Amino acid sequence: MAGDRPALAGLLIFVVIALTPTVVLWASLRLLPAIVARIAERRRARHRPTAPPLESVVADLRRLRREVRAREHRTHVRRTAVLAAYDDVLIDVCRQVDVDAPLATAEGHDRVYARLLTEAALEDAGIALDPPPGARRPDVGGQQ
């Protein structure tokens, strides 16, 4: 039996048999976790919650706007925190209604002016930041 195959074919079969367990082990340690992670990420992406409804975000914006305008903050830290939260919600509303928000890129003292421009852009888009006092539902997009 030793003479019916060439030596090179026998050597090739030996190398394949010797390397197969190493390649299988490498693939199971390197490729399998990556594949499992990719599948898990796809499943998580399907079950991710969507953005909160626009009405809820606008209600938060109005509540924070009232707090910012009240100027009854006991500490500087509280005032800064409320203003930062207001800016974040203002930018979120702009993203949801697809309005350009100059506040997103403003820095330092320019933020005050950019905040006014952003509020004006939202008002132009139909979102009333200061609804009438007797309104039952938030006026979003010009609908009642």
Side-chain angles (χ1 to χ4, degrees):
M1 273 231 167
D4 63 345
R5 281 192 212 129
L8 188 59
L11 184 62
L12 186 61
I13 290 172
F14 173 75
V15 168
V16 168
I17 291 172
L19 290 180
T20 298
T22 305
V23 171
V24 168
L25 183 63
W26 176 83
S28 66
L29 291 177
R30 293 290 178 155
L31 299 178
L32 192 61
I35 292 170
V36 169
R38 192 172 293 160
I39 290 170
E41 179 61 31
R42 285 184 185 168
R43 283 187 178 175
R44 279 192 296 264
R46 273 189 262 152
H47 298 295
R48 278 196 186 121
T50 57
L54 182 60
E55 291 84 5
S56 172
V57 180
V58 169
D60 289 342
L61 180 67
R62 289 175 180 161
R63 177 183 54 81
L64 288 167
R65 181 176 171 87
R66 283 190 303 269
E67 283 189 46
V68 166
R69 296 177 90 190
R71 299 183 185 267
E72 296 176 1
H73 308 294
R74 294 185 182 142
T75 65
H76 178 71
V77 173
R78 172 72 180 164
R79 189 175 126 262
T80 303
V82 169
L83 198 56
Y86 178 69
D87 289 350
D88 289 343
V89 174
L90 195 62
I91 292 169
D92 287 344
V93 171
C94 286
R95 279 191 202 119
Q96 283 192 358
V97 295
D98 199 29
V99 170
D100 183 37
L103 184 60
T105 57
E107 295 179 6
H109 295 292
D110 294 338
R111 290 186 68 80
V112 175
Y113 183 64
R115 188 176 303 117
L116 289 173
L117 290 176
T118 304
E119 290 170 348
L122 280 177
E123 290 275 348
D124 289 343
I127 295 179
L129 297 178
D130 294 318
R136 289 182 297 155
R137 276 184 50 197
D139 182 23
V140 176
Q143 301 172 355
Q144 282 243 350

